[in-house]
Amino acid sequence: MSKKLLLKDAHIEGIRYFETYRKQGGYTAAEKALKMTPDEILEEVKASGLRGRGGAGFPTGMKWSFLAKPEGVPRHLVVNADESEPGTFKDRYLMEFLPHLLIEGMLISSYCLGSNVSYIYIRGEYSWIPDILEEAIEEAKVAGFLGKNILGTGFDLEIYVQRGAGAYICGEETALLESLEGKRGNPRLKPPFPAVKGLWERPTVVNNVESIAAIVPIIDITGAEYAKIGVGRSTGTKLISACGNINKPGVYEIDMTITVEEFIYSDEYCGGIKDGKKLKACIPGGSSVPIVPANYY
């Protein structure tokens, strides 16, 4: 059975609300992080080996280390929740059922990056999710985990939710930034990269929902312990959106030590193909990933 880090409390009734999330140990990682220096948090993220969970797989700690820090210029964290690939819904699941996990991850990440104003850019089709996120943001603010002088540390953070208009191209980070600025969502020429000139030409880090949520267990158990999970450079756990002609579609948390065949046929996960049929092929990623026949697994 795979170790669960992100979905370990997903089965608990009311976990989307602050009080229940807090009772399950929520925001203790944030409390721990706010006693660390930003550089110490960055080193933990680097040690974890966390790679971007949005598809590119770029090392998160390295990406953060590229963030420019010009004196007197604000910096921003933008969470890419424009989950537009056909058949993908893992980020939606996190936001709908574990919104405080994302907010806690944003708090830790924003503190590390020096962002006092951070954003969640969410695809237009997720029409009911922004209300859930905004309710959770307000709960966190009332509890003192957002707003001015968080937990007496002197760190301020505001989080805003921006609804997209349903344009697939806004999943690309620079098109997302254009849209967030109120422009048409067209990709920008690079360089300059967002880490140097991003949102409103300020240094900006763009990470997807799962990547930022993963910061919570990294700080909780340490980067070194997180890196022990998985295999090779694929450390930690990964959320998989499983759908199609299977018995148990849903969102599953795995580590990369299991095979595709095990994932599809195990009762712990997909429970096999419907009507006792055999696997012919699957698409292991978004629409840009080739269809892989069963004989390759």
Side-chain angles (χ1 to χ4, degrees), residues 15-169:
I15 194 64
R16 63 175 266 195
Y17 300 109
F18 176 85
E19 185 177 355
T20 304
Y21 181 76
R22 183 67 166 153
K23 285 180 179 177
Q24 297 303 128
Y27 290 97
T28 55
E31 290 172 320
K32 178 181 177 181
L34 290 170
K35 294 176 183 176
M36 301 165 65
T37 67
D39 285 342
E40 287 172 337
I41 295 172
L42 179 59
E43 289 307 310
E44 290 292 341
V45 176
K46 287 182 177 179
S48 73
L50 176 68
R51 302 170 74 84
R53 300 310 199 213
F58 194 82
T60 303
M62 186 181 297
K63 185 174 187 176
W64 288 11
S65 69
F66 293 155
L67 186 68
K69 299 178 180 178
E71 188 174 347
V73 178
R75 302 187 287 276
H76 298 291
L77 168 68
V78 176
V79 173
N80 185 346
D82 193 71
E83 187 177 40
S84 303
E85 286 288 350
T88 57
F89 46 90
K90 62 181 181 63
D91 290 344
R92 183 190 75 188
Y93 186 93
L94 284 175
M95 292 185 289
E96 185 170 5
F97 297 106
L98 293 160
H100 281 285
L101 181 65
L102 173 59
I103 292 166
E104 184 176 8
M106 289 185 71
L107 170 54
I108 297 168
S109 303
S110 298
Y111 172 67
C112 177
L113 298 168
S115 170
N116 299 116
V117 180
S118 297
Y119 298 87
I120 303 170
Y121 183 96
I122 186 166
R123 67 178 297 196
E125 289 84 351
Y126 288 170
S127 58
W128 71 102
I129 304 292
D131 292 337
I132 294 173
L133 292 172
E134 286 168 354
E135 181 182 19
I137 288 168
E138 186 59 31
E139 285 183 318
K141 186 175 291 188
V142 169
F145 286 98
L146 289 178
K148 298 287 186 181
N149 191 25
I150 297 170
L151 302 185
T153 61
F155 177 65
D156 304 336
L157 176 62
E158 297 292 339
I159 294 176
Y160 297 100
V161 180
Q162 176 63 47
R163 303 170 193 237
Y168 176 83
I169 190 59

